[in-house]
Amino acid sequence: MMHRVAAFLLVLLMVTSGCSSTSRLAPVTDRMPAGKKTAGKMAASDWRPKTHTVQKGDTLYALALEYGFDYKELAEWNGIGAPYVIRIGQQLRLASAQSDTVSVTPLKPLAPVAESMAASEGSALNPSAQNQSGSLLKTQPKAGKVDYSAEAESLPPAIVPKPDAVVPKTHPPGEEKPSVVEEKKSAPSAGADDEDMEWAWPAKGKVIATFNEASNLKGMDIAGKIGQPVFASAAGKVVYSGSGLRGYGKLVIIKHNKTYLSAYAHNSQILVKEGQSVAKGQRIAEMGDSDTDRVKLHFEIRRLGKPVDPVKHLPESSG
């Protein structure tokens, strides 16, 4: 008898010590990838406010350049039509209304866990069990059985396309199939919004003024001759072409992506129109002295509207 009691106490002691050892909590470690931790900082790199209050001297064209937008987009966001007049004190949106709208779809209410478990257990034990409303509980979908027959055996097997197979699109009679050229035009260009861009010099000549934030020099000046060609420094879309910005003369602004703009000022002739897509190195204007004291090209690169040093983006030599 004493042996049995001793054995029982030994087993009880082992079980107690085992439970106490497994009740310890594992140390908590931060497994969030490094990229996730810095995502908030990267998102905050856009310095632009959501609104701007118009002050004396502001124009829609100048504000679009300052904040890095197409002036027509800015006008559309604020319901402003041609000739794009703005008033002192007017508050302008610096983003589309759709960008601030978040649609939330409410989830369907879930049945309490206890009720759903009870209902499933009741239906399993008694298929004719009823819920509180008196209706029969549906336990599972019923599939009708079809007797085997020679007719069913003669039916052709279903054709299941392979995962990698490409199913050709059919076109209604009389409708022409789109050409390969048209399909390529509709495809978006890869990496259109990347920070990493390859720039080219907009003109040949001697640099006579360089970027200087302290002196409010927002770009660089390249000396040249009247009529000398001015080239697009990178591919993009012409978002401004004219002489509506004071101090820039005849000006061309190209939007390259959501981040970068480039500006080409003091031209004698402008060779492109607003909305036109241009390629890197394409001739867009002729050098001149409009709204300045000598023949030169004033060139700016702007990131999210803020001027940056073009020399840090351009190749070492202008060629």
Side-chain angles (χ1 to χ4, degrees), residues 235-251:
K237 176 185 175 183
V238 178
V239 295
Y240 182 81
S241 174
S243 54
L245 275 78
R246 184 183 305 170
Y248 285 90
K250 293 183 179 180
L251 172 68

Side-chain angles (χ1 to χ4, degrees), residues 203 208-209 217-230 240-253 263-271 284-300:
I208 57 175
L217 297 177
K218 300 178 181 179
M220 63 188 302
D221 292 346
I222 303 174
K225 299 179 180 179
I226 192 79
Q228 182 177 327
V230 175
Y240 182 81
S241 174
S243 54
L245 275 78
R246 184 183 305 170
Y248 285 90
K250 293 183 179 180
L251 172 68
V252 176
I253 300 176
Y264 312 75
H266 306 310
N267 302 290
S268 60
Q269 297 292 332
I270 294 176
L271 308 178
I284 59 173
E286 294 179 356
M287 196 179 296
D289 57 357
S290 57
D291 208 1
T292 188
D293 57 352
R294 63 173 296 176
V295 177
K296 64 180 180 181
L297 171 67
H298 175 74
F299 175 66
E300 295 181 5

